[in-house]
Amino acid sequence: MSTKIYQTLIDFFLFEKIFSIIDVVKYMDLQQLKGVGEKTIEHFYQANIYNLEELVSYYPYKYQILQPDTLEESDEKVSLTINATIIDPGKVSYIRKNFNSLRFKVESYGKIINVTIFNRAFLKTHFQIGKEITLIGKYNSKTNTFTANDIKLSKLEGTEIIPVYHLIKGLKNNTLHTLIKEALKEAGVAEYIPETYQEKYKLLPKHEALKKIHTPENTEDIKAAKKTLIYEELFIFMFKIQYLKLLKEKEIGIKKEFPMKAVEAFIATLPFMLTNDQKKGVLESLQDLSSPKKMNRLLLGDVGSGKTIVATVLLYANYLAGFQSAFLAPTEILATQHFLSIRELFKKTEIHIELLIGSMTKKEKQKIVEKVNKGDVDILIGTHAILSEKLVFPNLGLIVTDEQHRFGVSQREFLGVRNEVPDMLFMSATPIPRTYALTIYGDMDTTLIKEKPQGRKDIITKVVKESNLKEVLLKILEEIKQNHQVYVVAPMIEENEDTNLKDVYLLKEKFDLAYHSKIPIGVLHGKLKKNEKESVMQEFKTGRTKILISTTVVEVGVDVKNATVMVIFNAERFGLATLHQLRGRVGRNDLQSYCYLICNEEKERLKVLEESNDGFYISEKDFEFRGEGDLFGTRQSGDMTFKIANLKRDYNVLLAAKKDAQEFLETKNYEKDFKYQKIIKEIDFTN
Ligand code: ADP
Ligand code: MG
């Protein structure tokens, strides 16, 4: 990193007061390492390693265990490790650009063997007759040849265990290992696991665990080190969650009174009967509302399970109790849609409901903000952008946030929440298994909505290769002839709206060509102006356009009941959970719906979607395929990336850590301990 950037960074840190002076000093300690220059430091930064403690917490993800084999073992073993002595250093052939081979002769176990290795021309300079080396690769006893995929320039004495790290750009595994070993000598590491639990589970002291994880002498070392470090990671994780929970339990809410009869009467006006799970959700959240404790509830339900209605009933009760509500949605489209459908449901009431989104004109916004601040608006629906407006709700009693957006203490300020704490309802369609919900949402009460509204048919899903697109085009035509509608999600090249724009239009051209421009097609993407988006959505909703081609902006919550086909291009680029979400845009009434996952190469994991319509099952599978880091999409992955623990495998440890963290918090021993205070500082309170 150039000095200038470095200086800017320091300025930034100081200015933002995100890090204390001590942290800034710590940030420089990577430079203490021998052989670490600006370039390496920059690579470390890119890998989110900013100091020695973080460097020694960069654990290997696997180990290469080298043990000398004999040539006889070549029948059973795919890869053989043998000691050998060079008897002819051989020669390099340059086959084509970036492709060379090195062929040489060795003696091993009394045999003379011809060895080949590719793309290691540089090894040649280290070869002399009589040099002892270790060959790793495949031995063919018939031809007496050895194809090496790795060569060590020394003899293997006994068993050697080499930790293998996830690559950091610019650093060879070996170099990284050396630096970590060096760092182990210098780094000050804090002992986070309280002694009680260290003894209880027979865990290692931190420093020993680190030493064993990076330089194990045998597999026992690895096991013991892992046990300690996994527990530590989960303990810290649960400590944070339990700490948050503790904070939230201390919050005093508003005890709200509303006539239950009137709420029931409102429910009776809804165009359908609530499902049992919806009733449960309504009941539980109404109880929270009328309790003096602050409501902090998560409504977790698969796409299409009907969470919005539950929230709507709650909004009504809150209104009856005499309070204002804010309803936040992640996108403008969604906010607008919620606004329209909720306003419709409240048609026969006196409720004053308004929409506030970022793309409104300054004047429009100002007008609404004034009304809200005067207390004239009962329910304000908007995107998160409304948080930046000068809102001061005189009487805010409830905040509902839709689709995975959790927010907390710091953001409440924006809503002008002062003394009393409004109740909070979070809605998420990320159908994580209950067990994992406990970890991510461990600080909240959870209501699970599993039941789908009656009459819903499973969506028939098919993985289709792009070369077979014709089949899909015909099906689309068939559905449109029945007056149904179609969503098409354009290829996602990058997670960047700009670069994907062109593909939406390109796709439209293709569709126009295929249907001789006879089918009206709408195009939707994030870069459209608010009124453009609205009119595109409106045209689709009213059925004037039959096909809606869009980037993934439709991902969340859009509700067009007449849509029966969802086509997703580049499906292999999405996680199963996201695909399931997208698919949830269709099948929103009793019509049979279809989903086509278009991909260039068929992916085994996509078959899961052909087999199942159950979001919870799918998320389990996604979890198996991709690990927890990806489960929640890029937006949430930060919460859930573990260095060494694996929630699925280590679930029992997690439960133990949860109990221990709770117990530890009760002792209050953390209060005066700098290291735990540091952990508390790391908690993302906005989450
Ligand atoms: P999500 O949980 O994905 O946010 P929505 O709240 O958008 O789901 O509901 C999906 C659709 O199902 C909406 O069109 C809604 O009107 C409808 N719906 C909700 N509850 C019921 C029900 N009990 N019976 C029939 N339709 C329902
Ligand atoms: Mg929804």
Side-chain angles (χ1 to χ4, degrees), residues 500-512:
N500 292 333
L501 273 190
K502 117 175 163 289
D503 305 285
V504 195
Y505 289 107
L506 216 65
L507 204 59
K508 172 160 189 311
E509 267 176 42
K510 277 193 192 167
F511 272 71
D512 277 340

Side-chain angles (χ1 to χ4, degrees), residues 52-75:
L52 292 183
E53 192 175 358
E54 280 163 357
L55 181 57
V56 297
S57 306
Y58 195 76
Y59 306 132
Y61 74 96
K62 65 172 188 184
Y63 295 88
Q64 193 185 14
I65 298 180
L66 294 180
Q67 253 168 333
D69 299 315
T70 61
L71 289 175
E72 280 72 53
E73 288 172 276
S74 68
D75 290 340

Side-chain angles (χ1 to χ4, degrees), residues 302-304 306-308 334 337-338 402-403 427 429 556-558 585 588:
D302 212 344
V303 263
K307 297 181 290 291
T308 320
L334 245 187
Q337 184 186 288
H338 280 316
D402 190 18
E403 308 291 358
M427 301 195 284
V556 273
V558 176
R585 299 307 115 220
R588 302 205 139 222

Side-chain angles (χ1 to χ4, degrees), residues 297-492:
R297 182 168 293 279
L298 170 72
L299 206 56
L300 191 61
D302 212 344
V303 263
S305 61
K307 297 181 290 291
T308 320
I309 282 298
V310 178
T312 308
V313 176
L314 199 64
L315 291 172
Y316 188 63
N318 185 61
Y319 159 77
L320 289 180
F323 290 91
Q324 292 174 291
S325 310
F327 188 128
L328 304 181
T331 66
E332 300 203 346
I333 293 176
L334 245 187
T336 309
Q337 184 186 288
H338 280 316
F339 171 69
L340 294 173
S341 59
I342 293 175
R343 189 175 63 177
E344 178 67 22
L345 294 171
F346 286 143
K347 204 168 50 186
K348 291 190 188 119
T349 70
E350 302 272 276
I351 295 179
H352 189 159
I353 175 167
E354 289 284 358
L355 177 70
L356 182 62
I357 49 182
S359 60
M360 288 176 157
T361 65
K362 232 179 150 158
K363 232 170 134 185
E364 287 172 306
K365 283 193 246 181
Q366 213 167 354
K367 225 173 95 188
I368 290 171
V369 170
E370 273 168 27
K371 278 204 253 177
V372 170
N373 294 356
K374 271 206 309 209
D376 290 348
V377 174
D378 300 311
I379 299 173
L380 182 67
I381 299 188
T383 54
H384 277 231
I386 71 170
L387 295 175
S388 60
E389 299 298 329
K390 293 205 162 32
L391 287 165
V392 187
F393 286 83
N395 198 16
L396 188 63
L398 170 68
I399 301 174
V400 178
T401 71
D402 190 18
E403 308 291 358
Q404 69 226 33
H405 281 264
R406 311 175 57 195
F407 78 115
V409 185
S410 59
Q411 281 168 310
R412 276 188 220 135
E413 292 163 20
F414 290 106
L415 289 171
V417 178
R418 284 158 303 181
N419 302 328
E420 66 288 301
V421 188
D423 287 314
M424 300 262 203
L425 181 75
F426 304 91
M427 301 195 284
S428 175
T430 310
I432 42 174
R434 218 194 169 116
T435 42
Y436 306 121
L438 170 95
T439 63
I440 317 181
Y441 299 115
D443 54 323
M444 298 193 215
D445 299 316
T446 308
T447 301
L448 210 62
I449 302 194
K450 284 203 95 160
E451 192 183 1
K452 292 215 169 128
Q454 261 193 342
R456 293 286 160 76
K457 294 191 177 69
D458 276 353
I459 300 160
I460 297 174
T461 301
K462 207 170 163 195
V463 181
V464 179
K465 278 202 166 175
E466 189 152 7
S467 49
N468 296 335
L469 194 62
K470 197 169 165 203
E471 167 194 342
V472 179
L473 292 172
L474 287 174
K475 181 70 193 172
I476 290 177
L477 200 60
E478 204 181 289
E479 287 293 308
I480 289 176
K481 276 186 185 149
Q482 296 177 52
N483 228 354
H484 298 158
Q485 287 167 280
V486 178
Y487 286 108
V488 176
V489 174
M492 181 176 74

Side-chain angles (χ1 to χ4, degrees), residues 98 134 207 232 257 280 336 341 477 543 582 637 654 664 669 672:
N98 296 327
T134 310
H207 200 268
E232 182 198 56
E257 283 166 35
K280 185 184 70 178
T336 309
S341 59
L477 200 60
L582 284 168
S637 59
L654 181 80
F664 178 64
N669 284 345
K672 290 197 183 73

Side-chain angles (χ1 to χ4, degrees), residues 177-215:
H177 190 206
T178 309
L179 290 175
I180 290 175
K181 279 191 283 191
E182 193 66 26
L184 271 176
K185 291 185 216 150
E186 309 287 338
V189 287
E191 198 72 60
Y192 292 106
I193 307 175
E195 228 171 309
T196 340
Y197 308 118
Q198 220 180 71
E199 278 164 21
K200 182 172 169 192
Y201 303 114
K202 303 198 170 40
L203 302 174
L204 301 173
K206 177 74 179 270
H207 200 268
E208 210 178 315
L210 286 174
K211 192 156 168 267
K212 289 195 163 160
I213 202 88
H214 292 297
T215 55

